[in-house]
Amino acid sequence: FKGLPKEYDLVINQPPATTKSTVISIMFPAWCWTRMANCRIITASYAHSLAMDLARKSRDVIKCELYGKLFPNIAIREDQDTKVYFANTAKGDRFSVGVNGSVLGMHGHFLIVDDPLDPNQAMSEADLKNADNWMRDTLPSRKVNKQVAVTILVMQRLHEEDPAGVMVKESKKLGASPVKHICLPAEL
């Protein structure tokens, strides 16, 4: 929020149905605007429809009466108010896309990827590679400032070479962007 170089990107692994999407994809972007109203956010999920649903829920939080009372300076622009792309009156915006979708022309202070791989795709080498390539090659080019903008990846672990595994492994290479890895394992 201060425009200083980031300390790290973030990878969060936790099991399904543990509120990871609610906290990271719905609430966090709404909170970001309370700290930096002109914050630009790109969010992605394995399916475009899932990315849009999470964006809609976040937009609902921002439009709710309590949010408006607590943060009266944050309002959704009437001329840019869709599930895929909405903006506020302070030049902040949120663009949502499916992994492997186009983000051409969009830039973000925060790049949030929530479940970049469908669990049914985890055994497909081609699907793993496509998700990893999109995360490694396409998405980073969409940062407002590569030294400051943060990538947040939240997902359940599905495979050793899933995007979380690749991102953590890549961060250990010389000169790579550091990654903080938070792993909340499933327990019976």
Side-chain angles (χ1 to χ4, degrees):
F1 297 121
K2 294 180 181 178
L4 301 173
K6 66 181 175 186
E7 293 182 34
Y8 49 79
D9 288 321
L10 182 61
V11 173
I12 304 168
N13 294 130
Q14 67 185 84
T18 56
T19 71
K20 66 184 182 302
S21 295
T22 300
V23 172
I24 301 300
S25 293
I26 298 170
M27 304 304 277
F28 180 70
W31 177 79
C32 286
W33 281 359
T34 70
R35 304 280 313 220
M36 180 180 165
N38 66 338
C39 180
R40 299 172 71 193
I41 302 163
I42 297 174
T43 60
S45 293
Y46 68 85
H48 185 252
S49 59
L50 177 58
M52 284 192 325
D53 186 55
L54 294 169
R56 178 193 54 80
K57 290 174 180 174
S58 186
R59 185 181 64 176
D60 288 348
V61 168
I62 295 162
K63 286 182 161 187
C64 82
E65 187 178 338
L66 181 58
Y67 188 95
K69 284 181 182 177
L70 294 172
F71 311 105
N73 60 321
I74 307 297
I76 302 292
R77 285 178 37 177
E78 289 180 24
D79 65 339
Q80 190 57 64
D81 185 8
T82 68
K83 287 184 252 185
V84 173
Y85 180 54
F86 58 90
N88 68 31
T89 55
K91 299 184 180 172
D93 60 31
R94 176 178 176 155
F95 179 75
S96 299
V97 64
V99 169
N100 293 318
S102 176
V103 286
L104 202 58
M106 307 310 285
H107 292 88
H109 296 96
F110 290 96
L111 310 180
I112 301 169
V113 182
D114 184 336
D115 287 330
L117 196 62
D118 182 324
N120 296 323
Q121 298 171 317
M123 291 302 151
S124 164
E125 189 174 321
D127 288 334
L128 279 168
K129 190 171 185 158
N130 284 339
D132 290 337
N133 287 343
W134 190 83
M135 291 272 315
R136 185 179 25 241
D137 300 332
T138 302
L139 196 58
S141 69
R142 303 291 88 205
K143 292 183 174 186
V144 169
N145 178 332
K146 288 179 180 28
Q147 305 306 314
V148 178
V150 176
T151 299
I152 301 171
L153 170 62
V154 59
M155 66 179 292
Q156 60 178 309
R157 285 308 304 269
L158 299 168
H159 189 281
E160 288 295 316
E161 296 298 318
D162 67 16
V166 170
M167 196 168 162
V168 170
K169 185 171 35 173
E170 291 284 320
S171 74
K172 295 177 182 176
K173 292 182 178 177
L174 187 63
S177 183
V179 169
K180 182 171 187 151
H181 184 209
I182 299 170
C183 183
L184 304 173
E187 294 184 11
L188 295 175

